[in-house]
Amino acid sequence: MLKTLLLVLILVPSTVRPAFAASEYTLRPEDAKAVYLTPQNFPVHPDGSADDSAAIQQAINQVEESHRQGILFVPEGRYRISKTIYVWPGIRVIGYGQNRPVFFLAPNSSNFQNGPAYMVFFTGARPAAFRGKANVEAVSADGKRVTPPDANPGTFYSAMSNIDIEIQDGNPGAVGVRARYAQHCYLSHMDFKIGSGLAGIHDGGNVAQDVHFYGGQYGIWTRKPSPGWQFTIIDASFEGQSKAAIREHEAGLTLIRPSFKNVPTAIDIDQRYSDELWIRDARMENISGPAIIISNENNPRTEINAENVICQKVPVFSLLRESGRKTNGPGELYSVKIFSHGLHYDDIGSTADIRSVFESQPLTAIPAAVKSDILDLPPMNTWVNLRTLGARGDGKADDTEVLQKAIAAHRAIYLPSGQYRVSDTIVLKPDTVLIGLHPSTTRLILADSTPAFQGIGAPKALLETPQGGSNIVTGIGLYTNGINPRAVAAKWMAGTNSMMNDVRFLGGHGTVEPEASAEEMRKTWTQIYNNTHTADSDINRKWDAQYPSLWITNGGGGTFVDLWTPSTFAQAGLYVSNTSTEGRIYELSSEHHVRNEAVFHNASNWRVYALQTEEERGEGGFALPIEIRDSSNILFANLHMYRVVSSLQPYPTAIKVWNSKNISFRNLHCYSDSKVSFDNSLRDETHHVNVRQREISWLDISGQAPPAKSEQTASVVAQGAHLEQAASGFYNISGGAVDAAGNIYFVDAKWQTIYRWSAATRQLSKISDNPLDPVNLAFDKSGNLMVISYSGNGTVYSFKPDSGSSDVTLLKAEPSVPRPGMTPVLPVIHWRNENDFTEKIPVKKPYQFVSPDHSTFIPAGEDFVKGQLYYGSKIHDVIRAFGLSPATIGQTYYVSDESEEKTYSATVEPDGTLSNLKLFAEVGGEGITTDADGNVYIAAGQVFVYDPSGKLIDTIEVPERPTQLLFGGGDGRTLFIAARSSLYSVQTKHKGR
């Protein structure tokens, strides 16, 4: 995935068409385990004279059947396509020759009239119906056409490189590539000649580099990638699209050195949608409409930042879609130093607001284009194949000596597919280049219990670069296994002109034997954990028992692209220490560690683009994703921090900063579809300041102490009243309800316990600790406590809290019908993984659970009643909500979209369906309640109070992140706030409604 010799991207007159790039791989790479699409092996016609669809598919199938994952090499030529080519998971299709091969679509191809219709489709699996077939179509037993599943969050290593796509006239629905995959997948060194087709890429993901788009309605038309994280595009150009160069939403677009020319719009974010959009070192020429169209402009989820954009004939730089507000350029030729829109913090401790920033200046001459930092590989005729030097690559023989001798004698060493076992550190010379083309099938490995890596001692690297080196390491997996306590996968001390690209730090998720069968792969996945998800299945392979996987230190720097470092055995996936050498990171995924994902200690002059962290339930419950200590001048742009849906353990913060200055964050996205997203996105440990907001466009940390905050009394709080901690010591409380006497009942689900806080005695008591998995509570008019349970399929039970009996009554799901005169109890928040709240929430639920006294009912979906799982967890609305609330039929009800940070007003129908949704406030969180004066209280980091018109009138600050809000007490004027480990209360001026 390395750049070719590119035509320098300068702004030239529009009549001059950019030259197409040369072939990246000019010679045939020899690999005994690869498949080669040659006429000797397959019935192909590389002169374009016949349809090659079936032959190409046959070759891809052969890779999958022979090795499960691997490489198909495509020689120079023109290959005519008439049907969709399916690329199975883990397969890379790579072209070679003096000229790039071309996959082209002939004019007026019948399968590409209506779109999107794909020439190349990256899949998530190979269905049984496609096995044993050389052609590209399959049918099921009942004769219906079968389509393979789309690529998904578990699709790794798939790629296409050094192959051009050409769509000839008369194919209006044609799309070059669909690529909605995950880590270590990419498109690179590709020209897309789209002509009158629809798009070059539709729904992309992970990384695209050195890609160029000519014509079409769109160059790229994309949305949120399947794993939910960033789509990074490096050194791309767009020219002549008829609608927009890029149409997108929620794609986490990270654009590095893009060029846009002769298009109506460079980037168009779909209406109603947001994105975390980062643009750096861009060129724009002859953009007739707004260069950037921004939607959802008043919401924190919209995070837009651009730096160093050179514009020529770009009269309108940006348009805010809803308001119509434009940002005009200052002349025909100008530079944009900064453009930003979204939620801004000037410094730690400052008050945030949504704003636009535009710093530009006219130019009299076009400055030189920023040079790419993606380094060229040495010419292929200088590569030395490690196998020809005697390496076995079978995972058994020790290849240490062969590698050491190869490094001593040669600069560029090519490693074909194989597992190259070593027993000592592989130390590179200052100019050594190691080249692989598939980091799952080409590995340097340590066997478990390798003697040199045992015992207590200093870190010892599997691979080590010298200080100041200009090394390149690409397309290789590094595997330290699980019983090598001194191991560091890579100790990187090379300088700023070095590069690590497409390197996988093996261990943990996604690590399977290269040629494992489907059954062996499934077995490997089950062996990642023991049966309680608290350790590896082999107790000798201890989590958090090795040094960092990637350790950049002692002046190390350079460019790091498309890396995945999820080894649970390592103390961190990335550790940058003791260096002021410039470093750049593009799309690094660090996941599943016990302590940290990324640490910066005594580091400066780093730019980190599209870093993604993920915490698993078993190993990551107490993981601090990012730790920054004694560091300076570091930029994080398009930073995504996620906790998986099955997470249970609350954790206070995603980032901690100690004694550091000039740390900048642009587009910070901190989230989880579980109920335990990080309570704070960031904590400045030096100044003891937390940042609760999880979606931030702009935050700078200068290192200076923030000004002291004056204590302010909330206007809705009763005179003389203060927030009090009513009870504490809980694991994670929510799910509460209020009885007729104003007593507060709530759930600590971890300990299967229901508590009551008495309004009369102001004392806490335990109501039930039976092992019934309570989650959310509601009362009926007769005082029966209805309990939503996580157990079973659609489990709702009820009991009398003061009956003294352990008996419970199971409530049965009944068909949904209008129930006038009864009280529906509804979730106050929903989490949606897609931006479809206004379509999916006002939909009738098929079932209702009716209370024993027939005064109250809880609507429920089929997913709850059937116990459906999402990645092993239940996120049905009545379970995923932090609480339910009684509603009044025909009256206004407030409901929050937690994921999109919006709150809506709605009308309650007689069957409990919400209708007439209207946006109430551009804030959404975990809890909502209202008072008798019509004020709406929203728990979203703090408690924000809005008047009935939707105007923010007050903020109640809480020491812990609030998750549920309830009015109770004897007079109904006490606001109770469930906040993780504590229950807080404060007297208010108005009663609860």
Side-chain angles (χ1 to χ4, degrees), residues 422-423 445-455 460 479-489 540-542 545-547 569-570:
V422 300
S423 55
I445 64 171
L446 293 176
D448 268 336
S449 304
T450 297
F453 295 82
Q454 299 307 298
K460 184 174 176 61
Y479 192 15
T480 56
N481 247 300
I483 314 176
N484 290 299
R486 293 181 58 196
V488 173
N540 296 305
R541 292 164 62 89
K542 296 179 181 178
Q546 294 181 4
Y547 289 97
F569 308 117

Short mmCIF file of all heavy atoms in Angstrom, two decimals, residues 422-423 445-455 460 479-489 540-542 545-547 569-570:
data_model
loop_
_atom_site.label_atom_id
_atom_site.label_comp_id
_atom_site.label_asym_id
_atom_site.label_seq_id
_atom_site.Cartn_x
_atom_site.Cartn_y
_atom_site.Cartn_z
N VAL A 422 11.65 -16.98 14.41
CA VAL A 422 12.97 -16.51 14.83
C VAL A 422 13.12 -16.76 16.32
O VAL A 422 12.14 -16.95 17.05
CB VAL A 422 13.18 -15.02 14.50
CG1 VAL A 422 13.07 -14.79 13.00
CG2 VAL A 422 12.19 -14.15 15.25
N SER A 423 14.38 -16.76 16.77
CA SER A 423 14.67 -17.03 18.18
C SER A 423 15.46 -15.92 18.85
O SER A 423 15.81 -16.03 20.02
CB SER A 423 15.44 -18.35 18.31
OG SER A 423 16.62 -18.32 17.51
N ILE A 445 7.62 -14.61 13.65
CA ILE A 445 6.98 -15.13 14.86
C ILE A 445 8.00 -15.61 15.87
O ILE A 445 9.08 -16.11 15.53
CB ILE A 445 5.98 -16.27 14.54
CG1 ILE A 445 6.70 -17.48 13.95
CG2 ILE A 445 4.88 -15.79 13.61
CD1 ILE A 445 5.80 -18.70 13.82
N LEU A 446 7.64 -15.44 17.12
CA LEU A 446 8.32 -16.10 18.23
C LEU A 446 7.44 -17.24 18.69
O LEU A 446 6.24 -17.05 18.93
CB LEU A 446 8.51 -15.14 19.40
CG LEU A 446 9.46 -13.95 19.24
CD1 LEU A 446 9.42 -13.09 20.49
CD2 LEU A 446 10.87 -14.42 18.95
N ALA A 447 8.01 -18.41 18.83
CA ALA A 447 7.27 -19.50 19.44
C ALA A 447 7.09 -19.20 20.92
O ALA A 447 7.90 -18.49 21.53
CB ALA A 447 8.02 -20.82 19.26
N ASP A 448 6.03 -19.70 21.51
CA ASP A 448 5.87 -19.57 22.95
C ASP A 448 7.10 -20.13 23.66
O ASP A 448 7.68 -21.14 23.24
CB ASP A 448 4.61 -20.31 23.42
CG ASP A 448 3.40 -19.41 23.47
OD1 ASP A 448 3.57 -18.18 23.59
OD2 ASP A 448 2.28 -19.92 23.37
N SER A 449 7.52 -19.45 24.73
CA SER A 449 8.64 -19.88 25.58
C SER A 449 9.97 -19.87 24.85
O SER A 449 10.85 -20.69 25.13
CB SER A 449 8.35 -21.27 26.17
OG SER A 449 7.14 -21.28 26.88
N THR A 450 10.14 -18.95 23.89
CA THR A 450 11.45 -18.78 23.26
C THR A 450 12.45 -18.36 24.33
O THR A 450 12.24 -17.35 25.00
CB THR A 450 11.37 -17.74 22.14
OG1 THR A 450 10.48 -18.22 21.13
CG2 THR A 450 12.74 -17.50 21.52
N PRO A 451 13.56 -19.10 24.53
CA PRO A 451 14.44 -18.87 25.68
C PRO A 451 14.94 -17.44 25.83
O PRO A 451 14.99 -16.90 26.95
CB PRO A 451 15.61 -19.84 25.43
CG PRO A 451 14.98 -20.95 24.66
CD PRO A 451 13.95 -20.30 23.77
N ALA A 452 15.32 -16.78 24.75
CA ALA A 452 15.90 -15.44 24.86
C ALA A 452 14.90 -14.40 25.35
O ALA A 452 15.29 -13.28 25.70
CB ALA A 452 16.47 -15.01 23.51
N PHE A 453 13.62 -14.73 25.39
CA PHE A 453 12.58 -13.77 25.74
C PHE A 453 11.89 -14.15 27.06
O PHE A 453 10.81 -13.66 27.34
CB PHE A 453 11.55 -13.69 24.62
CG PHE A 453 12.11 -13.14 23.34
CD1 PHE A 453 12.82 -13.95 22.46
CD2 PHE A 453 11.98 -11.80 23.02
CE1 PHE A 453 13.35 -13.45 21.28
CE2 PHE A 453 12.51 -11.28 21.85
CZ PHE A 453 13.21 -12.11 20.98
N GLN A 454 12.55 -14.98 27.85
CA GLN A 454 11.95 -15.44 29.09
C GLN A 454 12.51 -14.70 30.31
O GLN A 454 13.54 -14.03 30.23
CB GLN A 454 12.20 -16.95 29.27
CG GLN A 454 11.61 -17.81 28.17
CD GLN A 454 10.12 -17.54 27.95
OE1 GLN A 454 9.31 -17.74 28.85
NE2 GLN A 454 9.78 -17.08 26.76
N GLY A 455 11.80 -14.84 31.43
CA GLY A 455 12.25 -14.33 32.70
C GLY A 455 12.00 -12.86 32.91
O GLY A 455 11.40 -12.17 32.09
N LYS A 460 12.98 -6.89 25.19
CA LYS A 460 13.77 -7.45 24.10
C LYS A 460 12.87 -7.53 22.87
O LYS A 460 11.79 -8.09 22.91
CB LYS A 460 14.29 -8.84 24.48
CG LYS A 460 15.21 -9.46 23.42
CD LYS A 460 15.79 -10.75 23.90
CE LYS A 460 16.64 -11.42 22.82
NZ LYS A 460 17.80 -10.59 22.38
N TYR A 479 4.49 -11.40 15.50
CA TYR A 479 3.75 -12.19 16.49
C TYR A 479 4.70 -12.62 17.60
O TYR A 479 5.60 -13.43 17.38
CB TYR A 479 3.13 -13.41 15.81
CG TYR A 479 2.10 -14.15 16.63
CD1 TYR A 479 1.52 -13.60 17.77
CD2 TYR A 479 1.69 -15.42 16.26
CE1 TYR A 479 0.58 -14.28 18.51
CE2 TYR A 479 0.74 -16.12 16.99
CZ TYR A 479 0.19 -15.55 18.13
OH TYR A 479 -0.75 -16.23 18.86
N THR A 480 4.47 -12.08 18.80
CA THR A 480 5.28 -12.44 19.96
C THR A 480 4.64 -13.53 20.79
O THR A 480 5.18 -13.91 21.84
CB THR A 480 5.51 -11.20 20.85
OG1 THR A 480 4.25 -10.65 21.22
CG2 THR A 480 6.34 -10.15 20.12
N ASN A 481 3.50 -14.05 20.33
CA ASN A 481 2.80 -15.13 21.02
C ASN A 481 2.45 -14.73 22.45
O ASN A 481 2.39 -13.53 22.76
CB ASN A 481 3.60 -16.44 20.95
CG ASN A 481 2.87 -17.48 20.11
OD1 ASN A 481 1.75 -17.88 20.43
ND2 ASN A 481 3.49 -17.89 19.01
N GLY A 482 2.22 -15.70 23.35
CA GLY A 482 1.68 -15.37 24.66
C GLY A 482 2.56 -15.70 25.84
O GLY A 482 2.22 -15.33 26.97
N ILE A 483 3.68 -16.38 25.63
CA ILE A 483 4.55 -16.75 26.76
C ILE A 483 5.97 -16.31 26.45
O ILE A 483 6.90 -17.11 26.33
CB ILE A 483 4.48 -18.27 27.05
CG1 ILE A 483 3.03 -18.77 27.06
CG2 ILE A 483 5.12 -18.58 28.40
CD1 ILE A 483 2.88 -20.27 27.25
N ASN A 484 6.13 -15.00 26.29
CA ASN A 484 7.43 -14.39 26.06
C ASN A 484 7.46 -13.05 26.79
O ASN A 484 7.31 -11.99 26.19
CB ASN A 484 7.68 -14.20 24.55
CG ASN A 484 7.89 -15.53 23.83
OD1 ASN A 484 8.82 -16.27 24.13
ND2 ASN A 484 7.00 -15.83 22.89
N PRO A 485 7.63 -13.09 28.12
CA PRO A 485 7.38 -11.90 28.93
C PRO A 485 8.29 -10.71 28.64
O PRO A 485 7.93 -9.57 28.96
CB PRO A 485 7.57 -12.40 30.37
CG PRO A 485 8.35 -13.65 30.26
CD PRO A 485 7.95 -14.27 28.96
N ARG A 486 9.45 -10.92 28.04
CA ARG A 486 10.34 -9.78 27.77
C ARG A 486 10.10 -9.18 26.37
O ARG A 486 10.77 -8.23 25.97
CB ARG A 486 11.80 -10.21 27.90
CG ARG A 486 12.23 -10.57 29.32
CD ARG A 486 13.69 -10.97 29.35
NE ARG A 486 14.55 -9.92 28.83
CZ ARG A 486 15.82 -10.11 28.46
NH1 ARG A 486 16.36 -11.31 28.54
NH2 ARG A 486 16.54 -9.09 28.00
N ALA A 487 9.15 -9.72 25.65
CA ALA A 487 9.02 -9.39 24.24
C ALA A 487 8.43 -8.00 23.99
O ALA A 487 7.48 -7.57 24.65
CB ALA A 487 8.17 -10.44 23.53
N VAL A 488 9.04 -7.33 23.01
CA VAL A 488 8.47 -6.15 22.34
C VAL A 488 8.38 -6.56 20.87
O VAL A 488 9.37 -7.01 20.30
CB VAL A 488 9.39 -4.93 22.47
CG1 VAL A 488 8.88 -3.78 21.62
CG2 VAL A 488 9.51 -4.50 23.92
N ALA A 489 7.23 -6.40 20.27
CA ALA A 489 7.12 -6.83 18.87
C ALA A 489 8.01 -5.99 17.97
O ALA A 489 8.74 -6.52 17.13
CB ALA A 489 5.67 -6.76 18.40
N ASN A 540 -1.33 -20.16 31.05
CA ASN A 540 0.08 -19.76 30.96
C ASN A 540 0.28 -18.55 30.04
O ASN A 540 1.33 -17.92 30.07
CB ASN A 540 0.92 -20.93 30.45
CG ASN A 540 0.92 -22.09 31.42
OD1 ASN A 540 1.25 -21.94 32.59
ND2 ASN A 540 0.51 -23.28 30.95
N ARG A 541 -0.72 -18.27 29.22
CA ARG A 541 -0.65 -17.12 28.31
C ARG A 541 -1.36 -15.95 29.00
O ARG A 541 -2.56 -15.75 28.86
CB ARG A 541 -1.29 -17.45 26.96
CG ARG A 541 -0.49 -18.49 26.19
CD ARG A 541 -1.31 -19.12 25.05
NE ARG A 541 -1.73 -18.17 24.04
CZ ARG A 541 -1.01 -17.84 22.95
NH1 ARG A 541 0.19 -18.39 22.78
NH2 ARG A 541 -1.47 -16.99 22.06
N LYS A 542 -0.58 -15.19 29.77
CA LYS A 542 -1.16 -14.18 30.64
C LYS A 542 -1.35 -12.86 29.91
O LYS A 542 -0.46 -12.40 29.18
CB LYS A 542 -0.25 -13.97 31.85
CG LYS A 542 -0.13 -15.20 32.74
CD LYS A 542 0.81 -14.93 33.91
CE LYS A 542 0.95 -16.16 34.79
NZ LYS A 542 1.89 -15.93 35.91
N ALA A 545 1.26 -9.14 30.07
CA ALA A 545 2.47 -9.77 30.59
C ALA A 545 3.67 -9.57 29.68
O ALA A 545 4.71 -10.18 29.90
CB ALA A 545 2.23 -11.27 30.82
N GLN A 546 3.54 -8.71 28.65
CA GLN A 546 4.66 -8.39 27.78
C GLN A 546 4.80 -6.86 27.70
O GLN A 546 3.90 -6.12 28.08
CB GLN A 546 4.43 -8.95 26.36
CG GLN A 546 4.41 -10.47 26.28
CD GLN A 546 4.20 -10.97 24.86
OE1 GLN A 546 4.14 -10.19 23.92
NE2 GLN A 546 4.07 -12.27 24.71
N TYR A 547 5.92 -6.44 27.19
CA TYR A 547 6.14 -5.02 26.94
C TYR A 547 5.25 -4.57 25.77
O TYR A 547 4.58 -5.39 25.13
CB TYR A 547 7.61 -4.77 26.67
CG TYR A 547 8.48 -4.91 27.91
CD1 TYR A 547 9.16 -6.10 28.18
CD2 TYR A 547 8.61 -3.86 28.81
CE1 TYR A 547 9.96 -6.23 29.32
CE2 TYR A 547 9.40 -3.97 29.95
CZ TYR A 547 10.07 -5.16 30.20
OH TYR A 547 10.85 -5.27 31.33
N PHE A 569 -1.79 -9.63 25.26
CA PHE A 569 -0.64 -10.00 26.07
C PHE A 569 0.29 -8.82 26.33
O PHE A 569 1.11 -8.85 27.23
CB PHE A 569 0.14 -11.13 25.38
CG PHE A 569 -0.71 -12.30 24.99
CD1 PHE A 569 -0.87 -12.65 23.66
CD2 PHE A 569 -1.39 -13.03 25.94
CE1 PHE A 569 -1.67 -13.71 23.30
CE2 PHE A 569 -2.21 -14.09 25.60
CZ PHE A 569 -2.35 -14.44 24.27
N ALA A 570 0.19 -7.77 25.53
CA ALA A 570 1.08 -6.61 25.64
C ALA A 570 0.51 -5.58 26.61
O ALA A 570 -0.71 -5.46 26.77
CB ALA A 570 1.29 -5.98 24.27
#
